Amino acid sequence: APLGLEKSKELSEHLKTRDYIDAKGKVQDKLRTALKDKTLVLPDAMAGQAAQVGEILRKLAGRLEIKNADERRQVRPRQAVLHSPEFKALWDRIKHKTTYRVQFDNEKLVESCVRAMREAPPIPKARLQWRKADIAIGKAGVEATERETAAPVGLDENDIELPDILTELQDRTQLTRRTIHRVLTDSGRLAEFKRNPQAFIELAGEAINRSKRLAVVDGIKYMRLGEDHYYAQELFEQEELTGYLKNLLDVKKSIHEQVIYDSDTEAQFADQLEKNTAIRVYAKLPGWFTVPTPLGSYNPDWAVLIEISGQEQLYFVVETKSSLFTDELRDKEGAKITCGKAHFKALCVGESPAQYLVAKSVDDLFHRPGATK
């Protein structure tokens, strides 16, 4: 049975307390190890649902990537670059913190949810499938070997017990029952609920949440906080930064001696920054440099200073992506980028403010709209 909102919150807090996930909800290797070793500790109240919760966490956590502790390295700041006038000028343009205000039209949200429901794929009939397996219990744990699988059998709609759909969707979306009722009724698809209740709830929950994510960032307003609210440059020396050899790139122009990259796109971007003579200084922004958003904290990728013809200096915050097409970015990712644009726009005061953009390569910084020819 689904956990519901309160139990889900309780589980989330428990996972954070045990360091299975970090403050942002990102899965840690400690959780992957616990799942692999079957040492996962869950709240006592969830003992009856341990198998179900463990299965969900396994899907979310993915495989445990074995990392060699001997290859772990501390990444040190490059003092000459960190304390250079160029980096100070860049940092002063991006260091300030903001707060945001969300205003959305409830009517537009309902229309968006209804549209998303109508465009969603059809719900298949609920089917039942029998599987037989041999169970072996030994020191290594429980092992199941599948022996026989029956063909799926369609279930008659009248035999399916219907859950309380409004409560289920209220837990998943945090919208009011009245709004959910209206979305379901106006979508014209409520008849499909009987066909496969769980599949319908999953589809409706995802359609509504996706519409909600887009609605809360549409027209979001960021305001710069007072002069005392900013990320101090000293944090680069105070906060420890570590990476593994296979994800480190030796660099010269960065404020760190190596760049920690998470993808081929980032590695190529760092290499291009090093080789391009117009790039004066740059930073791969550490995890503590975040922008607040309604969808959680957002950590942009890069801060870059370009010098054109030895005179004009341009400042950038760059998000690197393998594709620049919005529909190829996950909606949550795209929504955070929208928030990033609004945040740095709020910091656009004074001469030559930092510009925020999404790029595939360093060339995109020079070929952006309005760039110097």
Side-chain angles (χ1 to χ4, degrees):
L3 291 176
L5 183 60
E6 289 308 314
K7 275 201 172 183
S8 296
K9 283 181 180 174
E10 183 188 331
L11 177 59
S12 176
E13 287 308 311
H14 172 82
L15 295 175
K16 285 176 188 173
T17 306
R18 287 264 170 184
D19 295 324
Y20 289 145
I21 60 175
D22 65 13
K24 297 180 191 174
K26 188 177 179 183
V27 170
Q28 303 299 291
D29 277 347
K30 187 175 178 183
L31 174 59
R32 296 186 180 100
T33 305
L35 289 166
K36 183 172 178 285
D37 299 342
K38 297 182 171 62
T39 56
L40 180 70
V41 178
L42 291 174
D44 294 338
M46 293 178 192
Q49 293 161 301
Q52 178 197 4
V53 171
E55 192 56 42
I56 292 167
L57 291 176
R58 248 183 291 280
K59 286 178 184 174
L60 292 172
R63 293 185 61 177
L64 174 65
E65 186 184 348
I66 305 300
K67 292 176 178 174
N68 188 345
D70 294 337
E71 294 184 355
R72 192 176 176 87
R73 295 286 184 273
Q74 185 171 350
V75 178
R76 303 180 191 283
R78 191 177 289 282
Q79 297 295 330
V81 180
L82 179 61
H83 297 294
S84 66
E86 288 95 342
F87 183 67
K88 185 180 186 310
L90 174 59
W91 193 248
D92 284 347
R93 284 164 169 79
I94 68 171
K95 68 182 182 182
H96 288 281
K97 297 182 181 182
T98 60
T99 184
Y100 62 83
R101 184 172 297 146
V102 174
Q103 285 182 312
F104 64 88
D105 184 329
N106 198 57
E107 199 59 36
K108 271 178 71 176
L109 174 61
V110 170
E111 288 171 13
S112 172
C113 291
V114 168
R115 190 163 54 249
M117 284 284 295
R118 283 178 182 163
E119 292 171 358
I123 299 287
K125 284 191 78 168
R127 297 189 302 175
L128 183 66
Q129 188 173 34
W130 291 99
R131 289 181 178 175
K132 291 182 181 179
D134 291 330
I135 304 291
I137 301 173
K139 287 181 181 176
V142 180
E143 285 187 17
T145 308
E146 193 170 314
R147 284 197 299 113
E148 196 179 310
T149 304
V153 179
L155 291 181
D156 191 290
E157 291 179 15
N158 297 322
D159 296 337
I160 301 172
E161 189 178 338
L162 298 178
D164 180 351
I165 188 171
L166 293 181
T167 300
E168 286 275 358
L169 288 175
Q170 195 175 18
D171 279 355
R172 287 170 187 246
T173 67
Q174 282 77 60
L175 293 184
T176 64
R177 294 169 75 88
R178 179 183 292 179
T179 300
I180 294 165
H181 182 275
R182 198 175 143 204
V183 168
L184 296 177
T185 306
D186 291 359
S187 73
R189 299 193 58 175
L190 200 48
E192 293 176 62
F193 172 51
K194 287 182 183 178
R195 186 183 302 167
N196 192 330
Q198 196 56 39
F200 186 86
I201 287 169
E202 296 281 345
L203 179 136
E206 183 51 41
I208 291 170
N209 279 331
R210 186 168 186 213
S211 301
K212 215 176 97 179
R213 280 197 287 270
L214 298 173
V216 294
V217 300
D218 185 25
I220 192 169
K221 293 281 189 292
Y222 277 82
M223 292 138 285
R224 179 174 147 169
L225 293 170
E227 287 297 320
D228 296 336
H229 298 272
Y230 62 88
Y231 288 107
Q233 198 168 319
E234 288 76 21
L235 286 168
F236 283 99
E237 294 173 284
Q238 293 166 5
E239 297 285 338
E240 188 179 281
L241 187 64
T242 58
Y244 289 88
L245 282 176
K246 65 177 182 176
N247 293 105
L248 292 180
L249 189 70
D250 288 330
V251 288
K252 295 276 192 280
K253 298 181 192 175
S254 165
I255 53 131
H256 287 106
E257 293 174 353
Q258 290 91 22
V259 160
I260 304 172
Y261 60 89
D262 298 324
S263 64
D264 289 343
T265 303
E266 288 187 354
Q268 290 162 13
F269 194 80
D271 186 55
Q272 291 166 1
L273 289 169
E274 284 291 316
K275 290 174 178 171
N276 194 305
T277 54
I279 307 298
R280 300 291 298 164
V281 62
Y282 68 91
K284 177 74 162 53
L285 292 166
W288 49 259
F289 184 86
T290 58
V291 174
T293 87
L295 310 172
S297 296
Y298 161 56
N299 169 226
D301 289 331
W302 311 88
V304 182
L305 168 56
I306 294 179
E307 191 168 277
I308 306 288
S309 308
Q311 295 175 331
E312 186 186 7
Q313 291 192 324
L314 302 171
Y315 305 89
F316 294 95
V317 175
V318 184
E319 182 70 25
T320 38
K321 294 293 173 199
S322 56
S323 171
L324 301 185
F325 293 101
T326 312
D327 56 354
E328 286 186 23
L329 296 174
R330 291 196 302 273
D331 55 307
K332 192 169 184 178
E333 220 173 296
K336 284 192 174 183
I337 285 171
T338 300
C339 292
K341 287 177 185 172
H343 164 84
F344 288 105
K345 188 177 179 184
L347 302 189
C348 283
V349 291
E351 191 181 338
S352 304
Q355 302 172 53
Y356 175 89
L357 72 151
V358 181
K360 278 179 73 175
S361 70
V362 167
D363 284 348
D364 294 330
L365 278 61
F366 296 92
H367 299 149
R368 74 203 182 281
T372 306
K373 298 283 188 272

